[in-house]
Amino acid sequence: MPLPWFLRSGSHRKPAALVLGGGGARGLAHVGVLEVIEHLGRRPDLIVGTSIGAVIGGMYAQDPDITRVRTRLQEFLDSSFFESVGLDAFHRQSEAALFPLIDEWIQGVRLRLSATRALTHEGMIPARVLRQGLDMLLDDADISDCRIPFACVAVDLLSGEPRTLRSGDIREAVAASSSIPGVIAPAVVDGRPLVDGAVTSTTPVLEARDEGARTVVVVDVSKAPSEGTAPKVGFEIMQRAGDIAAARCNRAQLDRADHILRPEVQCYHWARFDMAAKLIEAGADCARHHEKLLRSVFPQSPSQP
């Protein structure tokens, strides 16, 4: 993979990275942030993403035209394939149902069936399903072919170490970065089982630094664990413990960022992809409040005079 311009000898300008964090559907806010950055005639020198941030970041790095990215993403969310995945089972939609108790019962059955699969398989959703979805979102190409330098972060299940994927099949790399433990089966890259980078790097600031970034702007769409009610069953307790660990890792990453953008999306469940328009607009609203910062940090897009 050829070195990006900012790692070549003779380069003096300090590169600015845009780090797109994980958070499931909340990460659709990244689209809104990119929309505003593009509207300002700016472009990041480098994009580094985790999980949904890797998906959106990879799409934009391949094709830096937010209108085309948004159209492609919406077509995917509207597809029968996405509906068949059944992510809606992970959140309640019974408020507007004609028969809410029946609807809630059906959702509960679907979740129990998925949980049973997680106990007997590598995940509730097979890895091939994620890969099929990414085939609809990303072009078949090497990461080095991206028009904006791009990297995504996954975690090696054997070593426990984060791994930055900066070369090879972009669909394979993004699949690894998006394989939620227990929900989606791990992706195997170079013979190693890799899972969602959010396990250690919800906002991969340190990885962006390692890639050569001197200024890092983070879009954080994570949801900090709130006290609420105590979990009552084993699965909920394990999930809660994982959320706490991820939040602490995230704080350590954010401490190394130069600038942090936090779209108002914390109230949304990670599976609320049906709220795409509102989530994207929340990202755009946040970016508009930071227009001066974005203008000062990111260089002009090559397409701008």
Side-chain angles (χ1 to χ4, degrees), residues 100-114:
L101 292 179
I102 294 177
D103 182 71
E104 186 173 343
W105 176 79
I106 291 172
Q107 296 282 6
V109 169
R110 292 177 67 183
L111 277 177
R112 284 193 291 274
L113 289 173
S114 296

Side-chain angles (χ1 to χ4, degrees), residues 1-4 61-62 141-151 165-170:
M1 175 181 179
L3 289 174
Q62 277 194 332
D142 193 280
I143 296 176
S144 61
D145 295 327
C146 287
R147 292 169 61 186
I148 299 175
F150 170 70
L165 302 169
R166 61 179 70 83
S167 62
D169 185 331
I170 190 170

Side-chain angles (χ1 to χ4, degrees), residues 173-241:
V174 172
S177 182
S178 308
S179 296
I180 305 169
V183 177
I184 301 173
V188 179
V189 178
D190 299 331
R192 308 286 292 191
L194 305 182
V195 294
D196 197 316
V199 171
T200 61
S201 308
T202 300
T203 52
V205 175
L206 297 177
E207 288 80 2
R209 298 283 188 201
D210 289 343
E211 290 302 295
R214 295 296 177 268
T215 305
V216 177
V217 177
V218 177
V219 184
D220 179 22
V221 293
S222 63
K223 186 176 182 178
S226 56
E227 289 200 16
T229 58
K232 294 180 174 59
V233 297
F235 179 76
E236 292 177 349
I237 293 170
M238 288 189 294
Q239 185 179 42
R240 172 73 176 180

Side-chain angles (χ1 to χ4, degrees), residues 6-261:
F6 49 80
L7 293 182
R8 299 172 190 161
S9 59
S11 176
H12 300 293
R13 185 163 66 79
K14 295 181 178 181
L18 179 66
V19 169
L20 303 179
R26 294 189 297 274
L28 295 176
H30 298 323
V31 177
V33 172
L34 287 165
E35 200 166 59
V36 172
I37 292 174
E38 185 176 294
H39 175 73
L40 295 173
R42 297 297 193 264
R43 179 183 292 185
D45 295 313
L46 168 70
I47 297 176
V48 181
T50 286
S51 198
I52 185 68
V55 176
I56 304 300
M59 292 179 70
Y60 194 74
Q62 277 194 332
D63 182 13
D65 184 310
I66 198 61
T67 299
R68 288 198 294 265
V69 167
R70 185 166 181 171
T71 298
R72 189 171 186 176
L73 180 63
Q74 192 61 56
E75 288 174 350
F76 170 72
L77 295 176
D78 292 339
S79 69
S80 56
F81 168 79
F82 182 75
E83 183 180 0
S84 71
V85 176
L87 290 181
D88 60 325
F90 290 92
H91 69 81
R92 292 188 176 185
Q93 292 183 311
S94 59
E95 292 87 349
L98 181 60
F99 301 106
L101 292 179
I102 294 177
D103 182 71
E104 186 173 343
W105 176 79
I106 291 172
Q107 296 282 6
V109 169
R110 292 177 67 183
L111 277 177
R112 284 193 291 274
L113 289 173
S114 296
T116 298
R117 179 178 174 83
L119 292 174
T120 58
H121 297 72
E122 290 182 302
M124 301 178 190
I125 301 172
R128 60 177 173 75
V129 174
L130 173 61
R131 183 56 189 265
Q132 187 177 346
L134 292 174
D135 287 349
M136 299 170 67
L137 293 169
L138 295 163
D139 295 336
D140 182 13
D142 193 280
I143 296 176
S144 61
D145 295 327
C146 287
R147 292 169 61 186
I148 299 175
F150 170 70
C152 59
V153 179
V155 174
D156 188 315
L157 269 184
L158 299 181
S159 69
E161 295 295 320
R163 178 172 170 184
T164 302
L165 302 169
R166 61 179 70 83
S167 62
D169 185 331
I170 190 170
R171 291 170 172 169
E172 186 177 75
V174 172
S177 182
S178 308
S179 296
I180 305 169
V183 177
I184 301 173
V188 179
V189 178
D190 299 331
R192 308 286 292 191
L194 305 182
V195 294
D196 197 316
V199 171
T200 61
S201 308
T202 300
T203 52
V205 175
L206 297 177
E207 288 80 2
R209 298 283 188 201
D210 289 343
E211 290 302 295
R214 295 296 177 268
T215 305
V216 177
V217 177
V218 177
V219 184
D220 179 22
V221 293
S222 63
K223 186 176 182 178
S226 56
E227 289 200 16
T229 58
K232 294 180 174 59
V233 297
F235 179 76
E236 292 177 349
I237 293 170
M238 288 189 294
Q239 185 179 42
R240 172 73 176 180
D243 289 345
I244 292 170
R248 291 184 67 85
C249 288
N250 193 38
R251 284 199 295 272
Q253 290 271 4
L254 292 173
D255 285 345
R256 297 293 303 276
D258 297 294
H259 310 285
I260 304 171
L261 275 61

